[in-house]
Amino acid sequence: MAITLEGDVPIDSVASPPSRLDIAGDRTFRGLTYVFSWMTIFLVLYIVYEIAGKAFPAIQEYGFGFVTGTTWDANRGEFGVFPEIWGTLYSSILALMLGGFFGVSIAIFLTQDFLPPKLEVVFKNIVELLAAIPSVVYGLWGIYVVIPALRPTANWVHEHLGWIPFFETSLSGPGMLPAAMVLSIMILPTISAVSRDALCSVPHRLKEAAFGLGATRWEAILGVILPTSATGIFGALVLGFGRALGETMALAMLVGNSNQVSLSLFSPANTLAALLANNFPEAGKLEEGVLMYAALILMAITLLVNLVGTAIMNRAQRRLSGGER
Amino acid sequence: MIMTNTLDSSIVAEPNTNGKNVVIDCKIRNLYYGKFRAVRDSHIPVEEGQVTAFIGPSGCGKSTALRCLNRMNDLVRGFRFDGHVHFRGKDIYHRNVDPVAVRRYIGMVFQQPNPFAMSIYNNVAFGLRLNRVKDDIPERVESALRGAALWDEVKDKLKNSGLSLSGGQQQRLCIARAIATEPTVLLMDEPCSALDPIATRRIEELMTELKEKYTIAVVTHNLQQAQRVADKTAFMYVDTSDGGRTGYLVEYEDTGQLFEDPKEEYTKQYIRGEFS
Ligand SMILES: Nc1ncnc2c1ncn2[C@@H]1O[C@H](COP(=O)(O)OP(=O)(O)OP(=O)(O)O)[C@@H](O)[C@H]1O
Ligand SMILES: [Mg+2]
């Protein structure tokens, strides 16, 4: 029971303790937030449980060999997703390098007074519109525009620099490079929007400090503003990477769906998400379990990336914001 | 507030410089933020090797005038300046002068401590690196930290983040950062306003020491502080006669003279505490 502060002598003031109703409202609200957050957690666990359950027979049958195997032959019952794991990581890393570079550059361009404020808003909205384009449209654009446009250059590069592993095949159609390029455009809005927030949250007084010491604009950006917002920008990159890992439709259309492990940017490849999208329609009982196993691996990769990303961010945050290391 | 302002610019005092060497000769005719006229008709010659204090009620343009001296106001959109600021005889607002170069010779310490989110050492070395100083960086960092009376407190934790220090230590770190590059003039905008009395005293002592090597211009709300540290004091006030709130220089004098025997009526009232 609450102790009243008034006691015997009433306090002469407009201040009063919260009413019963206030307290009840507060409790209800708190209760609801608990329920909803637990429901979310439960939902995630439930999905993982279901998928793991379906995948269990396949896990028993193929074990770790599934991760290292390189053939996928439903007729002979041979399954391995190493090429898909490779393709998923390779395409995502390429997309991250491209999308990260451009996304962070755009964020810098849009926050550091390079443009008048009105234009800044216009540009920002245009970049964010990229996120509104459906994945399948990106896929079509990739097939009909990007691949034909890339082919002459790619094949020229292959002819003249073919000894470099990255260019050791020619680009005959779908392949790693067009897939990664389209993917980078797809993750660009995420990266630039989150980086923009990070850059905007750098306190103005730090900018003043840098300029007050006689830093040029670039010295201020590279020496102070980027390092200060580094954790936020890193978070943007992790988010973008996560999106790239799971992106399905555009990749299924552009990557070539071919079980190969190759460094070549021009060779067709496959990714886990594309594999799932392409194979589930005619999957039999056994193949269903195998696909669930692949799905589990994809989830594990995404989870791992997020965990490692968060851990690195936390460490950096602690180091930046003072205290012992 | 007790005054109704009906002022013309005849009230603007002609500064008295005692024939000392003037490092920065600042003459503001008009200074605008967008359409807003923030300061007018103020002539403040900052003398070499002296501490010059800016006092006056809030919003009278002390910070604005100070930030004019190293072109910090250029960062503000809509800032326009009519007048001149001569640094050792050269107009820093001349269109061929790079504001970045100006700020390397005229350093600044701000009201809120603003160390960078990097180690104490790197905070101080930052300016040295900007100036492409290659030699003796550790020695210079140490002497700057000693100069800012911070060395003994941080010498064992130079690798810790600058943000891990207390407010007063952070402000001294910012002073160290500013003096590491040996600027000719150091501008300080209410450097003690976030500090307790002890830290304030240390910074005041510091200013007195620093003026051996540098020229200092300081904005302060604390009249005792101005009396303790300043050789010259500029009193600014707000003119509301034309419907705006335009700051201007009322009186610029030797500190002792200004506080004991002010010439202007407004100065008298202000230092007697009759308005704020
Ligand atoms: N960046 C800015 N943009 C627009 N107006 C500004 C800006 N900075 C200051 N002003 C205006 O200019 C006038 C003078 O401001 P300034 O900061 O120079 O006052 P001050 O004397 O330093 O006051 P205080 O003692 O409170 O710090 C004020 O009316 C303020 O509103
Ligand atoms: Mg101010």
Side-chain angles (χ1 to χ4, degrees):
Chain A
M1 193 52 221
I3 298 173
T4 69
L5 298 176
E6 301 209 11
D8 302 333
V9 192
I11 302 176
D12 180 24
S13 155
V14 292
S16 67
S19 70
R20 283 254 169 80
L21 199 65
D22 291 343
I23 293 171
D26 184 53
R27 290 215 178 122
T28 319
F29 185 71
R30 198 154 18 141
L32 280 176
T33 51
Y34 269 117
V35 170
F36 288 134
S37 34
W38 277 111
M39 263 166 62
T40 319
I41 293 172
F42 178 74
L43 193 64
V44 171
L45 291 180
Y46 176 71
I47 293 174
V48 172
Y49 170 79
E50 280 288 315
I51 291 179
K54 289 258 168 58
F56 190 68
I59 297 176
Q60 261 184 332
E61 168 107 28
Y62 299 101
F64 195 69
F66 187 66
V67 177
T68 52
T70 55
T71 41
W72 184 282
D73 191 336
N75 298 327
R76 281 191 292 150
E78 256 185 74
F79 298 104
V81 288
F82 185 70
E84 283 74 21
I85 295 177
W86 163 259
T88 303
L89 292 175
Y90 195 32
S91 63
S92 300
I93 289 171
L94 288 175
L96 181 67
M97 291 191 326
L98 281 172
F101 178 76
F102 286 106
V104 175
S105 308
I106 289 171
I108 292 173
F109 184 64
L110 291 182
T111 50
Q112 302 305 317
D113 301 326
F114 286 98
L115 296 173
K118 283 210 183 99
L119 269 185
E120 262 177 22
V121 175
V122 172
F123 268 74
K124 169 184 156 276
N125 288 334
I126 292 176
V127 174
E128 276 164 22
L129 268 183
L130 287 176
I133 300 175
S135 183
V136 64
V137 176
Y138 274 114
L140 285 177
W141 178 67
I143 289 178
Y144 293 120
V145 180
V146 177
I147 294 178
L150 275 178
R151 206 181 287 147
T153 327
N155 289 338
W156 186 89
V157 171
H158 166 63
E159 260 164 50
H160 293 85
L161 299 168
W163 50 272
I164 303 176
F166 294 119
F167 310 129
E168 71 192 359
T169 57
S170 63
L171 183 71
S172 49
M176 187 51 92
L177 183 65
M181 280 176 69
V182 171
L183 197 53
S184 71
I185 298 173
M186 298 177 72
I187 64 175
L188 188 84
T190 312
I191 294 180
S192 85
V194 181
S195 311
R196 231 185 114 259
D197 289 346
L199 288 167
C200 283
S201 67
V202 173
H204 182 67
R205 55 200 170 86
L206 286 190
K207 271 191 228 178
E208 282 196 321
F211 286 118
L213 283 170
T216 61
R217 182 166 13 193
W218 280 108
E219 285 164 343
I221 290 173
L222 294 177
V224 174
I225 295 165
L226 279 182
T228 310
S229 53
T231 47
I233 290 177
F234 184 78
L237 296 177
V238 171
L239 258 171
F241 192 58
R243 260 211 73 185
L245 288 172
E247 176 47 45
T248 310
M249 198 57 219
L251 279 172
M253 293 165 81
L254 289 171
V255 80
N257 305 314
S258 140
N259 263 26
Q260 313 191 12
V261 178
S262 163
L263 264 183
S264 173
L265 298 173
F266 306 144
S267 110
N270 206 355
T271 71
L272 284 168
L275 174 86
L276 297 176
N278 282 323
N279 285 294
F280 82 89
E282 57 248 32
K285 195 80 202 132
L286 176 65
E287 227 182 329
E288 201 182 297
V290 173
L291 288 178
M292 286 299 195
Y293 192 3
L296 213 55
I297 293 172
L298 179 57
M299 283 202 302
I301 294 176
T302 323
L303 188 71
L304 199 70
V305 165
N306 276 302
L307 281 182
V308 172
T310 317
I312 295 177
M313 267 191 287
N314 285 346
R315 254 197 57 171
Q317 194 71 52
R318 235 175 315 153
R319 196 163 48 80
L320 283 179
S321 63
E324 265 77 331
R325 272 191 294 172
Chain B
M1 293 297 277
I2 53 161
M3 347 249 359
T4 51
N5 280 304
T6 45
L7 293 166
D8 56 54
S9 44
S10 65
I11 198 164
V12 174
E14 263 311 301
N16 158 19
T17 60
N18 302 342
K20 283 239 172 52
N21 232 350
V22 173
V23 220
I24 299 184
D25 187 47
C26 167
K27 203 162 202 169
I28 302 172
R29 239 182 322 271
N30 282 304
L31 189 156
Y32 293 91
Y33 289 124
K35 291 206 171 60
F36 174 70
R37 182 159 78 148
V39 181
R40 67 160 174 84
D41 305 312
S42 302
H43 181 191
I44 306 166
V46 177
E47 289 164 20
E48 191 162 15
Q50 307 274 294
V51 175
T52 304
F54 291 63
I55 60 170
S58 185
C60 70
K62 305 178 295 294
S63 301
T64 301
L66 192 78
R67 292 159 61 92
C68 229
L69 303 182
N70 70 343
R71 295 194 62 170
M72 278 310 279
N73 281 331
D74 287 33
L75 301 179
V76 178
R77 270 211 168 91
F79 166 73
R80 278 180 300 134
F81 177 73
D82 168 23
H84 66 70
V85 175
H86 286 166
F87 172 62
R88 295 151 51 102
K90 297 224 171 64
D91 188 358
I92 62 169
Y93 280 93
H94 188 279
R95 67 192 153 77
N96 290 341
V97 170
D98 183 358
V100 170
V102 172
R103 298 181 200 128
R104 295 207 178 168
Y105 295 103
I106 308 178
M108 183 141 199
V109 175
F110 298 83
Q111 177 167 2
Q112 292 294 327
N114 52 4
F116 300 132
M118 50 178 88
S119 70
I120 293 171
Y121 181 91
N122 284 334
N123 259 287
V124 183
F126 188 87
L128 295 170
R129 296 193 181 121
L130 285 184
N131 286 282
R132 311 243 178 282
V133 177
K134 292 276 180 329
D135 309 325
D136 313 327
I137 291 198
E139 289 76 10
R140 285 170 192 274
V141 168
E142 176 176 341
S143 79
L145 284 167
R146 280 189 196 282
L150 186 62
W151 174 253
D152 291 329
E153 286 155 73
V154 302
K155 62 172 185 276
D156 300 322
K157 48 177 186 177
L158 291 174
K159 286 214 164 63
N160 284 19
S161 169
L163 299 173
S164 66
L165 299 175
S166 76
Q169 292 173 326
Q170 287 189 9
Q171 191 64 305
R172 277 178 282 148
L173 177 61
C174 294
I175 294 175
R177 183 175 68 186
I179 61 178
T181 54
E182 300 173 3
T184 312
V185 181
L186 194 58
L187 310 177
M188 305 172 106
D189 191 351
E190 298 183 44
C192 306
S193 65
L195 307 184
D196 70 275
I198 295 171
T200 301
R201 277 321 256 266
R202 299 202 61 164
I203 297 210
E204 286 175 10
E205 282 160 21
L206 204 59
M207 284 191 236
T208 317
E209 283 163 31
L210 289 175
K211 75 174 183 182
E212 307 282 317
K213 285 171 83 178
Y214 311 102
T215 303
I216 296 177
V218 57
V219 170
T220 175
H221 267 137
N222 180 332
L223 300 186
Q224 283 79 37
Q225 178 170 73
Q227 281 171 285
R228 284 192 295 261
V229 299
D231 302 292
K232 304 282 287 194
T233 299
F235 171 62
M236 297 181 69
Y237 191 60
V238 192
D239 172 10
T240 49
S241 60
D242 60 355
R245 296 185 54 81
T246 306
Y248 67 102
L249 179 73
V250 175
E251 191 163 353
Y252 179 70
E253 265 301 343
D254 287 339
T255 303
Q257 170 83 25
L258 186 125
F259 280 94
E260 272 145 40
D261 183 20
K263 289 204 189 69
E264 304 294 336
E265 191 56 28
Y266 287 165
T267 320
K268 259 182 220 158
Q269 288 169 335
Y270 184 72
I271 62 181
R272 266 196 257 120
E274 289 177 16
F275 53 82
S276 61

